[in-house]
Amino acid sequence: MTEVRPAERPQPGEPPRGETSPVVSENSRVIHGLRVPMRDGVELSLDLVRPDLPGPLPVVLQRTPYDKVMGRDGEIYRGLVERGYITAFNDCRGRFNSDGVFEPHFHEADDGHDVIEWIAAQEWCDGNVGMLGGSYAGQTQWFAASRRPPSLKAIVPYCSPPASPWRNEPIFGGCLMLGITEWMVNMGARSYQRLNPMSMLTEHQPYFNSLPLTTLAEQAGAGSRWLEEMLRHPVLDEYWKRRSYDVHPDSDLPVLNITGWWDMNFPGAPLNFEAMRTGRAADKQKLIIGPWPHMVNMWRELSGADFGEHAVIELNDYVIRFFDRWLKGIENGIEAEKPVHVFVTGANEWWAEDEWPLRGTEEVPFYFRSRGRANSLDGDGVLSTEPPGAEPADAYRYDPLDQGTRVWRMHEGPVDERPAQQRHDVLCYTSEPLTEPLDVVGWVTCRLWASSSALDTDWHVRLSDVQPDGTARFLCRGALRARFRESFEEPKLLEPGEPTLFEFTMDACGVRFLPGHRIRVQVSSSGFSRYDRNTNSGAENFFADDKIVIADQRVFHEAELASCVVLPVVRRG
């Protein structure tokens, strides 16, 4: 993929292009190795890049476990320095030049607060501190914000995971994202254990096949005390809750949330936006969702789909305008602009909205229908807005050891789902070709009536846009480990063979299904190798279990047991 620049003219609906604060310095200097004391006496390492200007100045901070030197020369940071901001880069506790022991997420709230207030007290800072960064460096912003440091005036988290580690990664619907084990093994303790860290989460690792999962680190040939400890906690207990952050709706903090429809951490940005819009800072919240993977705003083409010249926008200038308003106090009108900007694929256009979920969204059930043979994309499964009557259930056998290897890559997007949909243990429900456009923008949910012969099993449901040539482009997915259907804290095993309702999120999408296209939903019991395989045994700690149970699964679609996905349909004339 070749990186592209924004189109010369903006498209209606994309984040507005406006004037940023002027360039005031073309020269800067780096200050290395400042030591920042934490409340427990541990010292963290901080570097500054400051413009050749007298202080004090506002500061934009990145806190990262990925080596603070790596992000220092990014284009957005250069743009900030040129406009009179100091940029600061901080190694998280126990990483690279910082003292202490790195425990993912555990110290980020208190450490973030202390770093911010230390910066604000320095003679070179004017007391206004913002934060910027992506992925884990997006989480560090929310962790810090949860402690309400008075000098933190705005944050811009890119691709931040949600507040709970059981909402996306490392656990999604009770299923373990196997890539997190690769991350933990290769992060090491203080520095990377991989020659090319950027190659993580791009290929299938042989140790993903390990059973029980508690042997993963051993099979990877590396010790990982984080991984070993994590796999001792198969429910949402205090271990996980201490690694969550709070989103305070009573906070007055301005936030610019940025993500992509295929971001591996996707739900974090819209969920956090929704939470903050309920409180004091409602009019200071922004949300941008583009046609992007985990690395945002870089390419117009993704996984073979071309989203047009407006897929890449003037995002850096928009970020600078946001900091200009909240760190420099420049009345540039950004808070009066639409708060939500989403890119609708298919239409390949940006929409500017007043809220998320979008106003006027209609929740439309699309029901599963068949004559009992919905197996594979060649089966008789139908997706219809008409509820089912008396119809036979669909059935398949789930063997945890016969799932093949479907490689998941962090930077992929609307991949063609047909290879998975050709399996007999995958049910496919496909609509008739559409005769007019259908806009589906927002949260998707699944209501699945199903049974299993096992005490526990998994359900994986995926939504795709089937092109006239047959290509089935992935849109969004949901998953649920059956024991967690009522609670992640108090699991409950199944009654074998008993029809049971499983209701769960499939996250969200933003798509215009075009005339001639079809909508497809696929149902299976495995998301391997993105997620671990449920052995179906019902063991108390499934991470430590290697007893294989083959499960006979049934999916129901009849009047009282009507399985469906609920699509957020937007009708605008």
Side-chain angles (χ1 to χ4, degrees):
M1 293 182 286
T2 303
E3 188 173 348
V4 297
R5 305 300 300 172
E8 183 176 340
R9 293 175 180 271
Q11 185 187 65
E14 76 176 61
R17 302 182 187 182
E19 290 188 10
T20 66
S21 54
V23 173
V24 292
S25 176
E26 296 183 355
N27 299 313
S28 63
R29 61 192 178 98
V30 179
I31 301 173
H32 298 277
L34 298 176
R35 307 301 292 178
V36 185
M38 299 295 97
R39 63 190 65 185
D40 61 357
V42 169
E43 291 190 349
L44 307 188
S45 181
L46 183 83
D47 293 347
L48 302 180
V49 180
R50 61 170 302 164
D52 188 14
L53 296 170
L57 300 171
V59 177
V60 176
L61 166 69
Q62 181 193 92
R63 300 197 66 251
T64 177
Y66 299 126
D67 188 353
K68 64 183 183 304
V69 177
M70 299 292 286
R72 213 163 56 197
D73 195 43
E75 183 179 345
I76 179 61
Y77 296 101
R78 291 197 302 271
L80 287 164
V81 171
E82 290 172 349
R83 288 163 177 81
Y85 294 87
I86 294 173
T87 55
F89 302 87
N90 175 216
D91 287 327
C92 290
R93 177 184 294 245
R95 296 295 290 171
F96 297 92
N97 288 340
S98 286
D99 296 341
V101 177
F102 181 55
E103 296 285 346
H105 308 125
F106 187 70
H107 297 283
E108 307 304 359
D110 288 344
D111 286 357
H113 174 282
D114 293 354
V115 171
I116 289 164
E117 292 307 308
W118 182 89
I119 288 172
Q122 305 310 302
E123 50 84 19
W124 36 264
C125 177
D126 68 1
N128 295 295
V129 181
M131 294 187 75
L132 175 66
S135 197
Y136 195 106
Q139 281 178 297
T140 58
Q141 299 174 58
W142 284 109
F143 275 110
S146 73
R147 292 294 191 263
R148 309 288 289 277
S151 303
L152 183 61
K153 303 301 174 61
I155 63 174
V156 181
Y158 291 68
C159 303
S160 173
S164 170
W166 273 60
R167 180 57 183 83
N168 177 74
E169 61 96 351
I171 308 291
F172 180 54
C175 305
L176 173 68
M177 190 182 105
L178 287 171
I180 200 68
T181 67
E182 181 184 2
W183 182 85
M184 288 183 163
V185 166
N186 287 289
M187 283 286 281
R190 180 168 295 277
S191 60
Y192 295 119
Q193 305 303 299
R194 192 182 187 115
L195 292 175
N196 180 11
M198 296 303 293
S199 67
M200 284 192 288
L201 309 185
T202 59
E203 59 187 352
H204 178 80
Q205 300 298 332
Y207 54 84
F208 289 171
N209 298 317
S210 302
L211 288 175
L213 294 176
T214 48
T215 66
L216 275 164
E218 177 186 350
Q219 295 299 319
S224 174
R225 55 187 174 78
W226 315 326
L227 179 56
E228 292 165 1
E229 178 62 24
M230 183 181 77
L231 297 180
R232 296 189 185 104
H233 299 272
V235 298
L236 181 56
D237 58 13
E238 286 305 311
Y239 169 86
W240 295 106
K241 291 176 183 178
R242 292 174 69 185
R243 285 155 176 81
S244 305
Y245 60 79
D246 295 321
V247 180
H248 286 288
D250 57 340
S251 165
D252 197 38
L253 185 68
V255 184
L256 168 54
N257 292 280
I258 301 169
T259 190
W261 293 120
W262 294 280
D263 171 23
M264 62 177 283
N265 294 332
F266 167 75
L271 287 173
N272 290 340
F273 175 83
E274 287 183 47
M276 292 292 287
R277 286 279 284 183
T278 64
R280 294 176 55 212
D283 60 348
K284 301 175 183 177
Q285 306 304 303
K286 301 289 185 182
L287 174 64
I288 298 175
I289 307 175
W292 308 320
H294 196 54
M295 295 181 70
V296 302
N297 200 45
M298 293 183 65
W299 309 289
R300 61 177 282 175
E301 295 184 28
L302 186 61
S303 298
D306 187 345
F307 298 114
E309 63 175 337
H310 295 285
V312 175
I313 60 175
E314 287 283 7
L315 185 58
N316 286 348
D317 283 359
Y318 190 77
V319 170
I320 292 171
R321 289 184 62 219
F322 189 79
F323 282 132
D324 285 346
R325 175 67 186 91
W326 301 115
L327 268 64
K328 289 187 175 181
I330 297 173
E331 298 284 348
N332 56 18
I334 195 170
E335 71 267 40
E337 297 166 359
K338 295 283 189 181
V340 177
H341 299 273
V342 297
F343 188 92
V344 180
T345 65
N348 287 355
E349 63 188 25
W350 286 93
W351 290 6
E353 302 294 328
D354 291 314
E355 58 191 34
W356 172 275
L358 275 54
R359 184 174 299 162
T361 300
E362 179 184 354
E363 294 189 347
V364 179
F366 281 72
Y367 296 96
F368 302 173
R369 309 284 302 274
S370 83
R371 296 186 299 277
R373 296 184 299 277
N375 308 78
S376 85
L377 57 81
D378 297 318
D380 65 5
V382 172
L383 194 66
S384 172
T385 55
E386 294 295 324
E391 297 179 359
D394 291 302
Y396 64 92
R397 176 161 288 185
Y398 165 52
D399 181 349
L401 296 183
D402 180 23
Q403 292 306 305
T405 299
R406 297 188 292 277
V407 179
W408 170 76
R409 298 175 177 86
M410 177 170 59
H411 302 309
E412 67 187 13
V415 295
D416 189 354
E417 296 276 61
R418 285 178 295 179
Q421 294 170 352
Q422 290 169 350
R423 291 180 59 97
H424 193 75
D425 55 4
V426 174
L427 305 179
C428 293
Y429 302 94
T430 309
S431 74
E432 293 295 320
L434 300 179
T435 58
E436 58 185 27
L438 182 70
D439 292 334
V440 175
V441 185
W443 298 111
V444 180
T445 57
C446 180
R447 298 172 188 159
L448 183 71
W449 281 96
S451 70
S452 176
S453 63
L455 293 171
D456 190 30
T457 197
D458 288 352
W459 305 110
H460 290 265
V461 182
R462 294 167 72 90
L463 179 70
S464 57
D465 177 6
V466 182
Q467 321 280 300
D469 67 358
T471 304
R473 295 213 170 274
F474 167 67
L475 295 172
C476 65
R477 87 281 186 250
L480 182 65
R481 186 146 290 178
R483 68 174 68 194
F484 296 120
R485 63 195 180 276
E486 296 179 5
S487 167
F488 289 131
E489 298 175 345
E490 299 179 5
K492 179 180 179 182
L493 296 179
L494 294 171
E495 291 289 337
E498 181 70 22
T500 304
L501 176 62
F502 304 91
E503 188 163 4
F504 51 95
T505 179
M506 293 177 60
D507 283 340
C509 66
V511 60
R512 174 169 294 168
F513 291 98
L514 297 172
H517 289 222
R518 294 175 292 162
I519 306 169
R520 179 174 293 155
V521 174
Q522 68 188 67
V523 180
S524 70
S525 292
S526 173
F528 189 73
S529 64
R530 183 169 185 176
Y531 299 101
D532 70 316
R533 297 159 294 173
N534 195 330
T535 63
N536 298 330
S537 73
E540 183 176 359
N541 184 356
F542 44 80
F543 294 141
D545 179 47
D546 62 357
K547 179 185 176 183
I548 299 298
V549 174
I550 296 174
D552 290 314
Q553 320 286 55
R554 302 183 76 197
V555 171
F556 300 92
H557 39 85
E558 54 187 89
E560 301 302 320
L561 307 173
S563 296
C564 66
V565 293
V566 181
L567 301 185
V569 174
V570 180
R571 306 186 193 278
R572 295 184 172 175

